[in-house]
mmCIF file with all atom_site columns, all heavy atoms in Angstrom:
data_model
loop_
_atom_site.group_PDB
_atom_site.id
_atom_site.type_symbol
_atom_site.label_atom_id
_atom_site.label_alt_id
_atom_site.label_comp_id
_atom_site.label_asym_id
_atom_site.label_entity_id
_atom_site.label_seq_id
_atom_site.pdbx_PDB_ins_code
_atom_site.Cartn_x
_atom_site.Cartn_y
_atom_site.Cartn_z
_atom_site.occupancy
_atom_site.B_iso_or_equiv
_atom_site.pdbx_formal_charge
_atom_site.auth_seq_id
_atom_site.auth_comp_id
_atom_site.auth_asym_id
_atom_site.auth_atom_id
_atom_site.pdbx_PDB_model_num
ATOM 1  N N   . TYR A 1 463 ? 31.941 3.961  -5.693 1.00 51.00 ? 463 TYR A N   1
ATOM 2  C CA  . TYR A 1 463 ? 31.459 5.209  -6.277 1.00 51.00 ? 463 TYR A CA  1
ATOM 3  C C   . TYR A 1 463 ? 30.319 5.801  -5.442 1.00 51.00 ? 463 TYR A C   1
ATOM 4  O O   . TYR A 1 463 ? 30.326 6.982  -5.082 1.00 51.00 ? 463 TYR A O   1
ATOM 5  C CB  . TYR A 1 463 ? 30.978 4.962  -7.705 1.00 51.00 ? 463 TYR A CB  1
ATOM 6  C CG  . TYR A 1 463 ? 30.196 6.128  -8.274 1.00 51.00 ? 463 TYR A CG  1
ATOM 7  C CD1 . TYR A 1 463 ? 30.839 7.318  -8.585 1.00 51.00 ? 463 TYR A CD1 1
ATOM 8  C CD2 . TYR A 1 463 ? 28.818 6.042  -8.466 1.00 51.00 ? 463 TYR A CD2 1
ATOM 9  C CE1 . TYR A 1 463 ? 30.127 8.401  -9.088 1.00 51.00 ? 463 TYR A CE1 1
ATOM 10 C CE2 . TYR A 1 463 ? 28.104 7.120  -8.957 1.00 51.00 ? 463 TYR A CE2 1
ATOM 11 C CZ  . TYR A 1 463 ? 28.759 8.288  -9.266 1.00 51.00 ? 463 TYR A CZ  1
ATOM 12 O OH  . TYR A 1 463 ? 28.066 9.356  -9.741 1.00 51.00 ? 463 TYR A OH  1
ATOM 13 N N   . LEU A 1 464 ? 29.317 4.970  -5.103 1.00 53.00 ? 464 LEU A N   1
ATOM 14 C CA  . LEU A 1 464 ? 28.161 5.467  -4.362 1.00 53.00 ? 464 LEU A CA  1
ATOM 15 C C   . LEU A 1 464 ? 28.551 5.969  -2.978 1.00 53.00 ? 464 LEU A C   1
ATOM 16 O O   . LEU A 1 464 ? 28.059 7.010  -2.523 1.00 53.00 ? 464 LEU A O   1
ATOM 17 C CB  . LEU A 1 464 ? 27.112 4.347  -4.239 1.00 53.00 ? 464 LEU A CB  1
ATOM 18 C CG  . LEU A 1 464 ? 26.451 3.914  -5.554 1.00 53.00 ? 464 LEU A CG  1
ATOM 19 C CD1 . LEU A 1 464 ? 25.620 2.657  -5.338 1.00 53.00 ? 464 LEU A CD1 1
ATOM 20 C CD2 . LEU A 1 464 ? 25.591 5.031  -6.124 1.00 53.00 ? 464 LEU A CD2 1
ATOM 21 N N   . ASN A 1 465 ? 29.450 5.241  -2.322 1.00 58.00 ? 465 ASN A N   1
ATOM 22 C CA  . ASN A 1 465 ? 29.823 5.624  -0.964 1.00 58.00 ? 465 ASN A CA  1
ATOM 23 C C   . ASN A 1 465 ? 30.579 6.942  -0.940 1.00 58.00 ? 465 ASN A C   1
ATOM 24 O O   . ASN A 1 465 ? 30.409 7.753  -0.031 1.00 58.00 ? 465 ASN A O   1
ATOM 25 C CB  . ASN A 1 465 ? 30.672 4.513  -0.329 1.00 58.00 ? 465 ASN A CB  1
ATOM 26 C CG  . ASN A 1 465 ? 30.834 4.693  1.160  1.00 58.00 ? 465 ASN A CG  1
ATOM 27 O OD1 . ASN A 1 465 ? 29.919 5.129  1.846  1.00 58.00 ? 465 ASN A OD1 1
ATOM 28 N ND2 . ASN A 1 465 ? 32.000 4.368  1.669  1.00 58.00 ? 465 ASN A ND2 1
ATOM 29 N N   . ASN A 1 466 ? 31.409 7.170  -1.949 1.00 54.00 ? 466 ASN A N   1
ATOM 30 C CA  . ASN A 1 466 ? 32.218 8.389  -1.962 1.00 54.00 ? 466 ASN A CA  1
ATOM 31 C C   . ASN A 1 466 ? 31.486 9.598  -2.527 1.00 54.00 ? 466 ASN A C   1
ATOM 32 O O   . ASN A 1 466 ? 31.772 10.727 -2.140 1.00 54.00 ? 466 ASN A O   1
ATOM 33 C CB  . ASN A 1 466 ? 33.504 8.151  -2.769 1.00 54.00 ? 466 ASN A CB  1
ATOM 34 C CG  . ASN A 1 466 ? 34.565 7.424  -1.967 1.00 54.00 ? 466 ASN A CG  1
ATOM 35 O OD1 . ASN A 1 466 ? 35.248 8.022  -1.143 1.00 54.00 ? 466 ASN A OD1 1
ATOM 36 N ND2 . ASN A 1 466 ? 34.702 6.127  -2.181 1.00 54.00 ? 466 ASN A ND2 1
ATOM 37 N N   . PHE A 1 467 ? 30.537 9.380  -3.453 1.00 52.00 ? 467 PHE A N   1
ATOM 38 C CA  . PHE A 1 467 ? 30.003 10.513 -4.189 1.00 52.00 ? 467 PHE A CA  1
ATOM 39 C C   . PHE A 1 467 ? 28.483 10.648 -4.161 1.00 52.00 ? 467 PHE A C   1
ATOM 40 O O   . PHE A 1 467 ? 27.963 11.628 -4.678 1.00 52.00 ? 467 PHE A O   1
ATOM 41 C CB  . PHE A 1 467 ? 30.474 10.447 -5.646 1.00 52.00 ? 467 PHE A CB  1
ATOM 42 C CG  . PHE A 1 467 ? 31.968 10.411 -5.737 1.00 52.00 ? 467 PHE A CG  1
ATOM 43 C CD1 . PHE A 1 467 ? 32.637 9.214  -5.936 1.00 52.00 ? 467 PHE A CD1 1
ATOM 44 C CD2 . PHE A 1 467 ? 32.707 11.568 -5.573 1.00 52.00 ? 467 PHE A CD2 1
ATOM 45 C CE1 . PHE A 1 467 ? 34.024 9.174  -5.993 1.00 52.00 ? 467 PHE A CE1 1
ATOM 46 C CE2 . PHE A 1 467 ? 34.088 11.543 -5.625 1.00 52.00 ? 467 PHE A CE2 1
ATOM 47 C CZ  . PHE A 1 467 ? 34.748 10.348 -5.834 1.00 52.00 ? 467 PHE A CZ  1
ATOM 48 N N   . CYS A 1 468 ? 27.772 9.709  -3.559 1.00 54.00 ? 468 CYS A N   1
ATOM 49 C CA  . CYS A 1 468 ? 26.310 9.803  -3.517 1.00 54.00 ? 468 CYS A CA  1
ATOM 50 C C   . CYS A 1 468 ? 25.734 9.646  -2.109 1.00 54.00 ? 468 CYS A C   1
ATOM 51 O O   . CYS A 1 468 ? 24.724 10.253 -1.780 1.00 54.00 ? 468 CYS A O   1
ATOM 52 C CB  . CYS A 1 468 ? 25.679 8.746  -4.423 1.00 54.00 ? 468 CYS A CB  1
ATOM 53 S SG  . CYS A 1 468 ? 26.118 8.908  -6.163 1.00 54.00 ? 468 CYS A SG  1
ATOM 54 N N   . ASP A 1 469 ? 26.381 8.839  -1.294 1.00 58.00 ? 469 ASP A N   1
ATOM 55 C CA  . ASP A 1 469 ? 25.787 8.492  -0.008 1.00 58.00 ? 469 ASP A CA  1
ATOM 56 C C   . ASP A 1 469 ? 25.707 9.664  0.956  1.00 58.00 ? 469 ASP A C   1
ATOM 57 O O   . ASP A 1 469 ? 24.872 9.668  1.858  1.00 58.00 ? 469 ASP A O   1
ATOM 58 C CB  . ASP A 1 469 ? 26.565 7.347  0.654  1.00 58.00 ? 469 ASP A CB  1
ATOM 59 C CG  . ASP A 1 469 ? 26.207 5.992  0.055  1.00 58.00 ? 469 ASP A CG  1
ATOM 60 O OD1 . ASP A 1 469 ? 25.322 5.973  -0.825 1.00 58.00 ? 469 ASP A OD1 1
ATOM 61 O OD2 . ASP A 1 469 ? 26.790 4.981  0.458  1.00 58.00 ? 469 ASP A OD2 1
ATOM 62 N N   . GLY A 1 470 ? 26.561 10.654 0.791  1.00 57.00 ? 470 GLY A N   1
ATOM 63 C CA  . GLY A 1 470 ? 26.486 11.815 1.674  1.00 57.00 ? 470 GLY A CA  1
ATOM 64 C C   . GLY A 1 470 ? 25.160 12.528 1.522  1.00 57.00 ? 470 GLY A C   1
ATOM 65 O O   . GLY A 1 470 ? 24.475 12.828 2.509  1.00 57.00 ? 470 GLY A O   1
ATOM 66 N N   . THR A 1 471 ? 24.768 12.787 0.285  1.00 62.00 ? 471 THR A N   1
ATOM 67 C CA  . THR A 1 471 ? 23.482 13.430 0.031  1.00 62.00 ? 471 THR A CA  1
ATOM 68 C C   . THR A 1 471 ? 22.340 12.525 0.463  1.00 62.00 ? 471 THR A C   1
ATOM 69 O O   . THR A 1 471 ? 21.350 12.982 1.048  1.00 62.00 ? 471 THR A O   1
ATOM 70 C CB  . THR A 1 471 ? 23.353 13.758 -1.463 1.00 62.00 ? 471 THR A CB  1
ATOM 71 O OG1 . THR A 1 471 ? 24.428 14.628 -1.841 1.00 62.00 ? 471 THR A OG1 1
ATOM 72 C CG2 . THR A 1 471 ? 22.029 14.439 -1.762 1.00 62.00 ? 471 THR A CG2 1
ATOM 73 N N   . LYS A 1 472 ? 22.474 11.240 0.196  1.00 65.00 ? 472 LYS A N   1
ATOM 74 C CA  . LYS A 1 472 ? 21.428 10.300 0.577  1.00 65.00 ? 472 LYS A CA  1
ATOM 75 C C   . LYS A 1 472 ? 21.276 10.246 2.091  1.00 65.00 ? 472 LYS A C   1
ATOM 76 O O   . LYS A 1 472 ? 20.164 10.194 2.624  1.00 65.00 ? 472 LYS A O   1
ATOM 77 C CB  . LYS A 1 472 ? 21.771 8.910  0.021  1.00 65.00 ? 472 LYS A CB  1
ATOM 78 C CG  . LYS A 1 472 ? 20.641 7.898  0.155  1.00 65.00 ? 472 LYS A CG  1
ATOM 79 C CD  . LYS A 1 472 ? 21.023 6.605  -0.548 1.00 65.00 ? 472 LYS A CD  1
ATOM 80 C CE  . LYS A 1 472 ? 19.929 5.562  -0.434 1.00 65.00 ? 472 LYS A CE  1
ATOM 81 N NZ  . LYS A 1 472 ? 20.301 4.294  -1.099 1.00 65.00 ? 472 LYS A NZ  1
ATOM 82 N N   . GLN A 1 473 ? 22.404 10.284 2.811  1.00 68.00 ? 473 GLN A N   1
ATOM 83 C CA  . GLN A 1 473 ? 22.341 10.271 4.274  1.00 68.00 ? 473 GLN A CA  1
ATOM 84 C C   . GLN A 1 473 ? 21.666 11.525 4.802  1.00 68.00 ? 473 GLN A C   1
ATOM 85 O O   . GLN A 1 473 ? 20.881 11.471 5.749  1.00 68.00 ? 473 GLN A O   1
ATOM 86 C CB  . GLN A 1 473 ? 23.738 10.148 4.874  1.00 68.00 ? 473 GLN A CB  1
ATOM 87 C CG  . GLN A 1 473 ? 23.737 10.005 6.396  1.00 68.00 ? 473 GLN A CG  1
ATOM 88 C CD  . GLN A 1 473 ? 23.119 8.697  6.845  1.00 68.00 ? 473 GLN A CD  1
ATOM 89 O OE1 . GLN A 1 473 ? 23.538 7.623  6.426  1.00 68.00 ? 473 GLN A OE1 1
ATOM 90 N NE2 . GLN A 1 473 ? 22.094 8.782  7.680  1.00 68.00 ? 473 GLN A NE2 1
ATOM 91 N N   . ASP A 1 474 ? 21.962 12.674 4.197  1.00 67.00 ? 474 ASP A N   1
ATOM 92 C CA  . ASP A 1 474 ? 21.299 13.905 4.616  1.00 67.00 ? 474 ASP A CA  1
ATOM 93 C C   . ASP A 1 474 ? 19.788 13.793 4.442  1.00 67.00 ? 474 ASP A C   1
ATOM 94 O O   . ASP A 1 474 ? 19.012 14.238 5.299  1.00 67.00 ? 474 ASP A O   1
ATOM 95 C CB  . ASP A 1 474 ? 21.817 15.089 3.791  1.00 67.00 ? 474 ASP A CB  1
ATOM 96 C CG  . ASP A 1 474 ? 23.116 15.656 4.356  1.00 67.00 ? 474 ASP A CG  1
ATOM 97 O OD1 . ASP A 1 474 ? 23.528 15.215 5.439  1.00 67.00 ? 474 ASP A OD1 1
ATOM 98 O OD2 . ASP A 1 474 ? 23.699 16.538 3.716  1.00 67.00 ? 474 ASP A OD2 1
#
Side-chain angles (χ1 to χ4, degrees):
Y463 168 70
L464 293 170
N465 193 37
N466 280 281
F467 303 100
C468 299
D469 281 357
T471 301
K472 190 174 180 181
Q473 185 67 55
D474 276 353

